[in-house]
């Protein structure tokens, strides 16, 4: 924090005061840049490549364009991942809890058979969102009770959850690139995630279901998946442009809990997901392995039914993000969508949370809306919201732009999927999520300056949005409590993060420092 404050003061000196302090030098050599610009230029020359990450990335991009730097590329090529795609756990602070989690969402278009589709008697093309969530807890704390590695797979046919011990011999990562693999010590189960591929095999069982004969059953669900990934838009740019960090250059410092980074805002995936559900009736023997044999009179034979489905897809929409740090927010909401059929280039991520400030531990409400549309990136740092399960109303402003997000799903929770999230005691059901939420995005631009008319640029709706409310206290009440809030970053961090020139210089300084010091994730 001390370094950040000194950096802010040095790079944000009022140029009028500088001129008053050094009038003779400026008069003798008027062709020289002021000290602030000279300092930035030196750093840019030393780093060779000017990489900038900023929560208000559009401001940085506009400044770059005015300085003659590259703008959005016109050719659609694979987009490099943003900063912090690497693993951060290798340099976790001694004695401090740590977690890191990855969230991958895929929305394939699938041709469903008539007997399984919503309209009996006719095949129907259906979009079936799926999610794959991986996590690691306290890899550097051997005595931690929650130390371990786990994975979740949520599919249209059900979900699986697998958790195992942390073992550096079976857990593989890269501190600068997206590479994650863990091998569980059972039946070849594993998961692997890189910037170009996701694959794995996970099995879990659940008790308490009742079959048609009113017998208790145990359901064993296995999910196998393997698909390629191609990023088209990361965070702050697309199609080959440089990428940005969500929280700016301060993300490299242990100032926020948790840290948050969108890795792929919009991409495509091709491959398959195979789901198998085996329901075993209570009281039957497990020795024979016969499938749906006989009935109650067939003793010594296992009675079970199997439901299987293989989802093959090509160029399905994909989204990827991650979190890391010592603690998770005590309450949050989240929404994401990148399948607007009327506006294919449109993607949006929006979230709000209560987080703890560094040193003081004071809590504050923070939020953001990030929109990628038609080659542009619009980050909205000023956000207000009214949220409960079933209804999300979000409004944001940025320069002359105004955005409204209206999300909704059934209020009774029929589409709600419990999701395990980090807690002080490990992964617990702490969030409700729907993969078939309705999200309407209305983007407007003020014309004619302050007080001018608002012109509608985009009005699009999708029925495949991911909508979520989270936090143990909120989750236990079914998310029905209404939360009204407004983003408010406290000082001095607000001045540091919102200062564009300091942000650019800080980002460049990190790139220079990375040549000599290990900076996790970058």
């Amino acid at each position: 924090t001390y370094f950040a404050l000194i950096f802010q003061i040095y790079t944000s000196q009022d140029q009028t005061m500088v001129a008053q302090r050094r009038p003779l030098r400026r008069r003798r050599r008027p062709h020289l840049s002021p000290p602030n610009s000279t300092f930035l230029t030196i750093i840019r020359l030393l780093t060779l490549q000017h990489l900038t990450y900023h929560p208000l990335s559009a401001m940085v991009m506009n400044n770059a364009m005015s300085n003659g730097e590259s703008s959005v590329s016109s050719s659609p090529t694979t987009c490099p991942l943003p900063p912090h795609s690497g693993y951060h756990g290798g340099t976790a602070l001694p004695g401090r809890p740590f977690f890191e989690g990855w969230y991958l969402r895929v929305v394939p278009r699938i041709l469903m058979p008539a007997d399984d589709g919503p309209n009996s008697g006719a095949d129907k093309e259906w979009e079936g969102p799926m999610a794959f969530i991986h996590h690691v807890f306290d890899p550097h704390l051997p005595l931690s009770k929650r130390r371990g590695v786990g994975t979740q797979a949520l599919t249209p046919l059900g979900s699986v959850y697998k958790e195992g011990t942390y073992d550096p011999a079976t857990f593989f990562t890269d501190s600068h690139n997206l590479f994650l693999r863990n091998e569980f010590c059972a039946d070849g189960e594993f998961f692997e995630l890189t910037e170009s591929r996701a694959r794995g095999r996970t099995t879990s069982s659940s008790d308490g279901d009742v079959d048609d004969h009113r017998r208790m059953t145990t359901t064993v669900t296995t999910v196998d998946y393997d698909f390629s990934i191609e990023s088209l838009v990361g965070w702050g740019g697309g199609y080959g442009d440089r990428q940005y960090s969500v929280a700016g250059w301060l993300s490299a410092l242990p100032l926020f809990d948790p840290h948050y980074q969108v890795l792929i805002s919009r991409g495509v995936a091709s491959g398959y997901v195979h789901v198998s559900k085996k329901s075993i009736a209570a009281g039957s023997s497990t020795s024979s392995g016969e499938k749906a044999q006989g009935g109650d009179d067939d003793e010594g034979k296992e009675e079970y039914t199997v439901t299987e489905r293989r989802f093959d897809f090509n160029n399905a929409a994909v989204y990827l993000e991650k979190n890391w740090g010592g603690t998770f927010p005590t309450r949050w909401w989240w929404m994401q969508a990148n399948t607007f059929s009327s506006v294919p280039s449109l993607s949006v991520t929006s979230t709000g949370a209560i987080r703890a400030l560094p040193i003081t531990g004071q809590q504050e409400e923070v939020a953001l809306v990030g929109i990628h549309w038609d080659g542009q990136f619009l980050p909205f740092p000023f956000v207000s919201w009214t949220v409960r399960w079933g209804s999300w109303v979000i409004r944001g402003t940025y320069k002359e732009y105004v955005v409204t997000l209206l999300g909704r799903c059934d209020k009774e929770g029929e589409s709600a999927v419990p999701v395990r999230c980090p807690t002080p005691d490990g992964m617990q059901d702490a969030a409700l999520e729907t993969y078939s939420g309705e999200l309407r995005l209305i983007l407007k631009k003020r014309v004619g300056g302050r007080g001018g008319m608002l012109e509608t640029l985009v009005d699009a709706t999708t029925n495949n949005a991911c909508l979520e409310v989270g936090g143990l206290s909120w989750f236990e009440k079914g998310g029905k409590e209404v939360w009204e809030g407004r983003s408010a970053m406290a000082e001095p961090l607000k001045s540091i993060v919102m200062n564009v020139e300091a942000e650019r210089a800080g980002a460049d300084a990190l790139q220079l420092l990375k040549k000599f010091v290990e900076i996790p994730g970058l």
Side-chain angles (χ1 to χ4, degrees):
T1 305
Y2 176 80
F3 167 75
L5 289 173
I6 296 300
F7 203 108
Q8 162 73 0
I9 294 171
Y10 183 78
T11 58
S12 304
Q13 300 176 66
D14 189 283
Q15 294 186 13
T16 303
M17 295 179 62
V18 173
Q20 293 173 352
R21 194 181 306 123
R22 306 175 63 182
L24 296 178
R25 181 176 180 181
R26 292 199 64 181
R27 282 199 297 266
R28 285 198 306 264
R29 303 181 67 181
H31 61 282
L32 288 180
S33 301
N36 187 32
S37 299
T38 303
F39 174 71
L40 298 177
T41 302
I42 292 173
I43 288 183
R44 290 168 188 169
L45 291 174
L46 288 174
T47 56
L48 299 181
Q49 183 179 11
H50 183 160
L51 295 177
T52 307
Y53 3 110
H54 190 264
L56 305 182
S57 302
M59 295 174 62
V60 179
M61 293 172 67
N62 292 339
N63 289 345
M65 293 173 66
S66 65
N67 291 336
E69 297 174 15
S70 61
S71 60
V72 177
S73 171
S74 59
S75 60
T77 58
T78 300
C79 182
L81 295 187
H84 297 290
S85 21
Y87 176 59
H88 295 77
T91 55
L93 297 177
R96 187 172 186 263
F98 176 85
F99 78 91
E100 191 155 358
W102 299 259
Y103 181 98
L104 174 66
R105 184 170 185 253
V106 182
V107 186
R109 301 187 67 88
I110 304 162
L111 186 65
M112 293 196 58
D115 56 346
D116 290 332
N119 296 326
S120 179
D123 288 352
K124 180 179 178 66
E125 191 177 57
W126 172 76
E127 293 177 323
M130 309 176 192
F132 305 88
I133 307 170
H134 315 304
H135 73 266
V136 59
F137 271 120
D138 300 337
H140 62 309
L141 301 177
L143 300 181
S144 171
K145 294 182 179 180
R146 67 175 193 173
R147 188 182 196 226
V149 181
T151 184
Q152 301 176 69
L154 301 100
T155 78
L157 287 187
S159 61
V160 297
Y161 178 76
K162 181 75 175 182
E163 197 168 34
T165 58
Y166 170 80
D167 185 349
T170 58
F171 183 70
F172 308 97
T173 60
D174 188 297
S175 60
H176 301 294
N177 301 289
L178 179 58
F179 178 81
L180 175 70
R181 179 182 173 89
N182 186 73
E183 300 169 356
F184 296 100
C185 300
D187 301 326
E189 295 180 54
F190 75 101
F191 64 83
E192 182 180 299
L193 176 63
T194 72
E195 62 179 298
S196 60
R197 188 179 188 185
R199 58 177 180 157
R201 182 178 189 274
T202 308
T203 298
S204 66
S205 61
S206 61
D207 298 321
D209 296 328
V210 179
D211 66 7
D212 294 337
H213 299 285
R214 296 186 177 181
R215 295 174 300 183
M216 298 297 293
T217 63
T218 297
T219 301
V220 179
T221 304
T222 301
V223 177
D224 289 281
Y225 59 96
D226 190 351
F227 50 87
S228 64
I229 299 173
E230 181 181 3
S231 174
L232 301 179
V233 178
W235 184 257
Y239 305 128
D241 257 349
R242 66 190 181 204
Q243 301 299 302
Y244 304 90
S245 173
V246 170
W249 65 276
L250 292 178
S251 293
L253 305 175
L255 296 179
F256 305 110
D257 259 344
H259 295 272
Y260 177 68
Q261 182 65 52
V262 176
L263 299 177
I264 300 177
S265 293
R266 184 168 61 86
V268 292
S270 300
Y272 73 88
V273 175
H274 181 267
V275 185
S276 174
K277 296 183 67 174
K278 180 179 180 180
S279 298
I280 307 170
S284 63
S285 169
T286 59
S287 59
S288 69
E290 300 272 3
K291 180 179 179 180
Q293 291 292 322
D296 295 339
D297 297 332
D298 291 329
E299 297 183 0
K301 293 184 178 180
E302 181 185 41
E303 297 177 28
Y304 63 82
T305 57
V306 175
T307 303
E308 294 186 85
R309 177 69 52 77
R310 178 181 166 114
F311 303 95
D312 291 285
F313 47 87
N314 186 45
N315 290 335
V318 69
Y319 171 87
L320 176 61
E321 68 174 33
K322 66 180 294 187
N323 298 91
W324 70 96
T327 62
F328 210 65
T330 55
R331 173 180 283 198
W332 71 90
W333 55 263
W334 177 75
M335 55 204 322
Q336 182 275 324
N338 55 8
T339 55
F340 295 88
S341 58
S342 61
V343 189
S345 67
L346 180 63
S347 67
V348 59
T349 301
S350 182
T351 185
I354 299 176
R355 74 176 180 193
L357 289 174
I359 304 176
T360 65
Q362 180 182 353
Q363 292 189 330
E364 67 174 1
E365 294 182 344
V366 293
L368 65 86
V369 177
I371 295 175
H372 295 85
W373 165 64
D374 194 28
Q376 302 181 60
F377 176 57
L378 302 174
F380 295 79
F382 305 107
V383 181
S384 62
W385 63 87
T386 301
V387 173
R388 61 167 172 78
W389 177 255
S391 175
W392 292 254
V393 180
I394 317 299
R395 292 182 174 87
T397 59
Y398 165 63
K399 289 188 173 181
E400 66 271 27
Y401 295 95
V402 178
V403 65
T404 301
L405 303 175
L406 304 174
R408 67 177 183 176
C409 66
D410 63 277
K411 298 179 182 179
E412 302 304 320
E414 295 179 3
S415 65
V417 177
V419 179
R420 295 176 183 255
C421 302
T423 73
D425 298 319
M427 298 293 284
Q428 296 184 17
D429 286 340
L432 291 175
E433 195 169 276
T434 179
Y435 297 100
S436 55
E438 178 185 296
L439 177 59
R440 182 184 179 190
L441 185 152
I442 306 168
L443 177 64
K444 297 183 178 182
K445 182 178 182 180
R446 193 172 298 280
V447 180
R450 187 174 183 178
M453 297 290 292
L454 286 173
E455 175 187 357
T456 300
L457 303 177
V458 178
D459 189 342
T461 301
T462 178
N463 293 311
N464 287 293
C466 198
L467 308 176
E468 181 179 279
V469 298
L472 284 175
S473 61
W474 212 8
F475 174 79
E476 292 170 354
K477 298 177 183 178
K480 296 180 180 179
E481 181 182 353
V482 177
W483 180 17
E484 293 185 357
R486 181 181 299 271
S487 58
M489 183 178 290
E491 296 290 1
L493 295 179
K494 181 177 180 180
S495 294
I496 297 173
V497 173
M498 301 297 288
N499 186 296
V500 177
E501 285 301 313
E503 169 62 29
R504 293 170 66 92
D508 291 338
L510 284 177
Q511 291 302 119
L512 174 62
L513 188 62
K514 194 176 75 170
K515 300 177 183 295
F516 310 99
V517 179
E518 176 75 9
I519 302 179
L522 295 183

